[in-house]
Amino acid sequence: MNNSGGDVRDVVIVGSGPAGLTAAIYAARANLRPLVIEGGAPNLPGGQLMITSDVENFPGFAEGILGPELMEQMRNQAARVGAEFLTENVSDVDFSRRPFHLKTDGEREFDANTVIITTGASAKWLGLPSETALYGKGVSACATCDGFFFRGREVVVVGGGDTALEEANYLARMASKVTVVHRRDTLRASQIMQKRAFDNPKIEFAWNSVIKEIKDVGVGKVTGVVLHDLKTDETRLLPTDGVFIAIGHSPNTKLFAGQLQMDENGYIITTPGRPLTSVPGVFAAGDVQDTLYKQAVTAAGSGCMAAMEAERYLEELEDEH
């Protein structure tokens, strides 16, 4: 691996989910020799799909595919066309100088003419041991990814914002009953989302309640939730087949604070319809800048766009010299 002071990389991609790997495939095929700094412990190379079991909404897999298998195929494809991988975390970046400068936790340093940021976002969790143990076994943070598996069954959605009610309304198309668990007695969601949920005969609410435990780790699947009523201090068991956590996402952007323009929630701001950040030559793709769709296929699409924009930017750079 070349340290700083060696050659300047044309493209360095930070992150290795669907956006990063698609960017790598396109950049490699454009002969840009991309370096993918894919993340290392405690982060998981491959992003959120590495902890997703069945993926049935990614085009091209008629029978569905396991999340880790999909990421392995994408990674192998990127490597086959010439992408280089480094399994470390980026610990520091400097976008104020050109070429851009990056350091890793393995104490390697790189200079790059363009950087594509695809560090993704992480779902916020309740922090219960039973939630971790049953992730992918009835516990999910994505209704559009996993709702299909709960047709005709009862599910719980945790949260009180637009995301939670969006998930509840989506799940109500398939599930027999959806119970929204919210810690207060009023919702934060927009009026239109509230009206939709209240008007839906399949959606019920457990107000002033929090989940104390998800059952049943011993059985290896979700069978119910233990609800604690914050007003009465009582607990009760609510039988259910699935639990969807919808309390928001946090973009993985701490590393870029002060370097790039971000919104109030820490998402990188990009030009509408394009992956351009506030620093020319730095591009952002996938969930790190997507507050709306958060799907593997949209992340992959934006990764393609970022690689094409990087290629265009490098051509202009060459023309200048």
Side-chain angles (χ1 to χ4, degrees):
M1 234 7 111
N2 291 305
N3 278 1
S4 183
D7 65 340
V8 177
R9 297 275 175 168
D10 277 330
V11 182
V12 171
I13 297 165
V14 185
S16 58
L21 294 179
T22 305
I25 291 164
Y26 273 78
R29 292 189 75 251
N31 212 20
L32 299 176
R33 300 181 312 116
L35 170 67
V36 182
I37 306 178
E38 64 180 345
N43 300 310
L44 212 54
Q48 291 182 82
L49 281 183
M50 294 302 285
I51 49 171
T52 304
S53 49
D54 296 303
V55 179
E56 294 200 340
N57 55 8
F58 199 90
F61 299 95
E63 304 300 317
I65 186 169
L66 295 173
E69 200 185 325
L70 175 61
M71 297 325 296
E72 187 188 1
Q73 288 208 25
M74 289 178 85
R75 190 185 190 279
N76 291 345
Q77 187 179 356
R80 186 179 65 79
V81 292
E84 191 183 330
F85 288 86
L86 178 63
T87 311
E88 292 180 8
N89 295 303
V90 174
S91 55
D92 190 47
V93 296
D94 185 355
F95 294 151
S96 66
R97 54 176 266 195
R98 284 164 200 279
F100 305 121
H101 191 66
L102 302 94
K103 288 181 190 168
T104 71
D105 55 7
E107 298 192 357
R108 299 176 197 260
E109 300 190 26
F110 300 95
D111 287 329
N113 285 322
T114 65
V115 175
I116 298 175
I117 297 166
T118 63
T119 46
S122 306
K124 292 179 185 169
W125 297 98
L126 303 175
L128 303 170
S130 52
E131 171 189 52
T132 311
L134 293 168
Y135 186 87
K137 297 170 185 170
V139 173
S140 170
C142 178
T144 42
C145 312
D146 299 324
F148 180 76
F149 304 110
F150 295 91
R151 282 170 303 176
R153 296 160 80 186
E154 298 189 2
V155 296
V156 160
V157 173
V158 184
D162 275 356
T163 303
L165 295 197
E166 233 167 79
E167 304 258 290
N169 276 302
Y170 179 84
L171 289 163
R173 293 185 213 158
M174 289 158 270
S176 58
K177 183 176 123 186
V178 180
T179 304
V180 177
V181 175
H182 186 43
R183 56 170 44 249
R184 285 179 269 282
D185 57 5
T186 53
L187 299 164
R188 294 189 317 279
S190 58
Q191 288 305 311
I192 188 159
M193 290 306 296
Q194 290 195 41
K195 183 175 180 343
R196 258 182 228 161
F198 292 143
D199 287 351
N200 195 316
K202 282 190 182 178
I203 298 176
E204 296 180 8
F205 289 83
W207 301 107
N208 303 306
S209 297
V210 294
I211 293 178
K212 297 297 281 182
E213 191 191 348
I214 301 171
K215 298 282 188 185
D216 187 339
V217 174
V219 179
K221 66 174 186 178
V222 172
T223 60
V225 292
V226 177
L227 292 182
H228 175 218
D229 189 308
L230 298 171
K231 281 249 165 102
T232 65
D233 208 30
E234 290 168 0
T235 59
R236 68 182 172 105
L237 179 70
L238 174 69
T240 191
D241 298 304
V243 178
F244 288 83
I245 314 296
I247 53 177
H249 283 76
S250 300
N252 303 322
T253 55
K254 281 198 182 80
L255 180 63
F256 312 109
Q259 304 259 352
L260 297 170
Q261 220 178 331
M262 298 182 194
D263 70 10
E264 65 277 10
N265 296 315
Y267 285 89
I268 295 171
I269 294 172
T270 52
T271 305
R274 293 178 76 188
L276 316 181
T277 71
S278 55
V279 175
V282 177
F283 307 93
D287 287 10
V288 78
Q289 52 80 53
D290 174 11
T291 59
L292 201 54
Y293 301 107
K294 300 188 177 75
Q295 298 300 302
V297 69
T298 50
S302 68
C304 156
M305 291 157 70
M308 291 175 79
E309 292 282 6
E311 186 185 0
R312 190 177 294 167
Y313 178 85
L314 288 164
E315 279 169 7
E316 286 168 6
L317 215 57
E318 245 173 54
D319 293 344
E320 282 170 23
H321 298 105

